[in-house]
Amino acid sequence: MNKQISFKEAVTILILMLVMLGWGVIGFGLSPQIPVLTVIALLIFWLQIRGFEWEEVMKGISQGISTAIVPIFIFLLIGTLIAVWIQAGIIPSLMVLGFHMISSHFFVPSVFLVCSLVGLAIGSGFTTVSTVGIALFGMGSTLGINPALTAGAIISGAVFGDKMSPLSDSTNLASAVTEADLFDHIKNMMWSTIPAFIGSLLFFFFLGQSNKATSLAGIAAVESSLRQNFSVSFWAALPIILMFASAWKKVPAIQTLFANIFLSVAMIFVQNPGFKMQKLATLIESGYVSNSGNKTVDALLTRGGISSMMGTVSLIIMTLALGGILMHLGIIDSAMKPLVERLKKPGWLILTTIMAGIGINLFVGEQYLSVILPANAFKPAYKRIGLDPLALSRALEDGGSVINYLIPWGVAGSFVASALGVPVLDFLPFTMFSLLSPVFSILSGFTGIGLKWKQEKAA
């Protein structure tokens, strides 16, 4: 039996996968894990019929999952961080501070700007959403603003900061796989990022004006509940300062999270010397459970803990297992190779690269693979027509990592949906930065504005 997968066969497999995933998540409203697991099962069954050795299938699964060990550990630490930040009063203090600093009339654009600055400083969209983002989301709920709109502004700002920060994993990955200088890569991304940032700010400014009726009584009630049930003080700034200092010193994410967790736990025991170790263990494992009596506060601050991340962890394992099978057995290569060989115009090459990144996000749901796979597939084509590696690295970011937040079964999408409690399909239309970034990148490819050629081509 011929084990070589043809182009038509590979494309058929990918299309059927996408239909099944979309049908399950969007059509039936299932959690992403079920459709992904079903696709994996059917794909394995088909590969066995095609005559592929079980050892090869397992090797693909192992190779895929092996890349997720560090991200999974980081997610568990973030779940812990959310819980201890609430118990220590950090997130409640941020909410109270925000009530006094952010104008309700310009709340939505200010959320976008704050999350952009925080994300830029710490280089992690996930951390931005799960810390400052949760506090801002709570403020938006108190003001009566559409939760999906607030979530869209939070995620847009976090994605911008993550994309443009030299501390970001995805930004470093895009420059590394294309062999481009990191800071040249960040500078070159401005051609698509700055227009997307301005467009997003105008979008949020316009929509933010539709929410002029604010419930000051509601804000006062929430603030009163926060002060009564949590330790709200300026000392809450210590973990935030530590996070910024760690980012400035380029301390690795795991070390930064551990240091922040230890500091927050120390603050808990200082504030409440009678706090039991057993209660701390339950807090870390199961998250914080708010019983303030205020429904808004309880809904917003009952979250965190290792267990809250297990849904995301299971999805990471499944999607990377699926991606590993598709990669190792050559299904994605077979689908993309004929197309890559025909691309000779820069505009169409960049468009196809971005669409490939979006496609990988849809098929696999993993942002790192949405950068790595198109990079390996399209690198020869960029070299052949004389484009600089920076042109490829920008297209990878604009079609890869920023889009993963918009995929219901994507790692980033499922994470922020869980952290904020808003379904991906609800906040998707409002996550304007992720929607605009690929548009401006494609325009750059076809117009030539900001398109980076090799020096010998320019000469």
Side-chain angles (χ1 to χ4, degrees):
M1 181 178 290
N2 181 20
K3 296 183 182 179
Q4 185 66 37
I5 298 176
S6 67
F7 170 74
K8 291 183 179 180
E9 194 175 14
V11 170
T12 301
I13 293 170
L14 294 177
I15 290 175
L16 288 175
M17 283 175 46
L18 181 59
V19 170
M20 292 181 65
L21 290 170
W23 194 14
V25 175
I26 300 173
F28 287 98
L30 301 175
S31 62
Q33 288 88 339
I34 305 304
V36 172
L37 190 61
T38 303
V39 166
I40 293 174
L42 293 176
L43 179 60
I44 291 175
F45 180 70
W46 174 81
L47 289 170
Q48 292 288 285
I49 294 176
R50 281 284 273 107
F52 284 89
E53 298 293 335
W54 177 245
E55 289 73 15
E56 290 300 309
V57 176
M58 289 301 297
K59 188 174 181 180
I61 293 175
S62 299
Q63 288 178 350
I65 295 177
S66 65
T67 63
I69 302 303
V70 172
I72 285 174
F73 194 65
I74 288 175
F75 286 145
L76 298 180
L77 291 179
I78 288 177
T80 301
L81 184 68
I82 293 173
V84 296
W85 265 33
I86 296 175
Q87 179 70 58
I90 290 103
I91 289 178
S93 295
L94 285 173
M95 292 177 65
V96 171
L97 178 65
F99 288 147
H100 294 279
M101 292 185 61
I102 298 180
S103 169
S104 60
H105 293 288
F106 301 99
F107 177 77
V108 177
S110 61
V111 164
F112 173 61
L113 291 173
V114 168
C115 289
S116 296
L117 292 174
V118 173
L120 190 63
I122 65 178
S124 171
F126 287 3
T127 305
T128 301
V129 169
S130 59
T131 53
V132 176
I134 290 177
L136 293 171
F137 186 81
M139 292 172 57
S141 298
T142 304
L143 291 170
I145 296 173
N146 180 1
L149 176 58
T150 305
I154 291 169
I155 297 164
S156 291
V159 173
F160 165 81
D162 194 328
K163 181 183 178 184
M164 296 302 290
S165 173
L167 305 176
S168 166
D169 288 345
S170 59
T171 302
N172 279 274
L173 176 65
S175 62
V177 295
T178 58
E179 300 178 10
D181 179 78
L182 173 61
F183 290 98
D184 287 343
H185 165 61
I186 293 174
K187 181 180 178 181
N188 188 59
M189 281 198 297
M190 290 183 181
W191 289 100
S192 62
T193 303
I194 298 304
F197 180 87
I198 294 173
S200 300
L201 183 60
L202 292 174
F203 174 81
F204 292 126
F205 184 84
F206 175 77
L207 285 189
Q209 302 311 296
S210 64
N211 294 288
K212 295 192 176 184
T214 61
S215 175
L216 296 180
I219 293 175
V222 170
E223 181 176 345
S224 175
S225 178
L226 291 172
R227 291 186 180 278
Q228 290 174 11
N229 291 276
F230 299 93
S231 177
V232 176
S233 70
F234 66 91
W235 290 110
L238 287 178
I240 300 172
I241 293 172
L242 175 61
M243 187 170 291
F244 276 89
S246 299
W248 179 262
K249 293 294 185 180
K250 299 182 180 180
V251 178
I254 291 178
Q255 296 180 30
T256 298
L257 289 170
F258 265 127
N260 216 297
I261 290 169
F262 289 144
L263 175 59
S264 301
V265 168
M267 292 176 63
I268 291 173
F269 282 105
V270 169
Q271 295 162 5
N272 185 2
F275 198 80
K276 303 295 184 181
M277 287 298 298
Q278 292 85 352
K279 190 174 181 180
L280 176 63
T282 301
L283 175 71
I284 292 173
E285 180 180 353
S286 303
Y288 185 86
V289 178
S290 177
N291 294 304
S292 68
N294 184 297
K295 291 183 179 180
T296 300
V297 172
D298 293 343
L300 290 170
L301 298 184
T302 298
R303 63 183 67 236
I306 292 174
S307 61
S308 70
M309 295 290 109
M310 296 314 295
T312 301
V313 168
S314 67
L315 186 60
I316 292 174
I317 293 173
M318 292 179 191
T319 54
L320 285 178
L322 176 60
I325 296 172
L326 295 174
M327 287 174 58
H328 183 67
L329 299 180
I331 297 174
I332 290 179
D333 285 343
S334 296
M336 296 177 67
K337 187 176 180 181
L339 181 61
V340 172
E341 292 175 347
R342 290 177 171 80
L343 294 172
K344 298 179 181 178
K345 301 258 185 200
W348 289 107
L349 179 56
I350 288 172
L351 171 62
T352 307
T353 305
I354 290 175
M355 295 307 296
I358 295 174
I360 298 298
N361 273 309
L362 287 170
F363 294 130
V364 183
E366 213 290 315
Q367 61 179 340
Y368 291 158
L369 290 180
S370 71
V371 171
I372 295 171
L373 295 180
N376 293 332
F378 290 102
K379 194 181 297 184
Y382 279 76
K383 185 177 182 180
R384 185 173 63 246
I385 68 173
L387 282 172
D388 193 277
L390 292 171
L392 173 58
S393 63
R394 185 178 70 188
L396 294 174
E397 291 250 41
D398 289 330
S401 53
V402 305
I403 299 297
N404 197 257
Y405 289 81
L406 308 181
I407 309 300
W409 51 86
V411 172
S414 63
F415 174 83
V416 296
S418 174
L420 298 178
V422 181
V424 175
L425 295 181
D426 286 359
F427 65 67
L428 188 154
F430 302 107
T431 312
M432 194 51 54
F433 182 79
S434 291
L435 295 172
L436 289 178
S437 289
V439 172
F440 285 108
S441 194
I442 292 169
L443 288 175
S444 174
F446 279 102
T447 63
I449 299 175
L451 190 60
K452 192 73 172 178
W453 294 88
K454 288 184 179 179
Q455 292 183 356
E456 55 267 30
K457 175 73 178 181

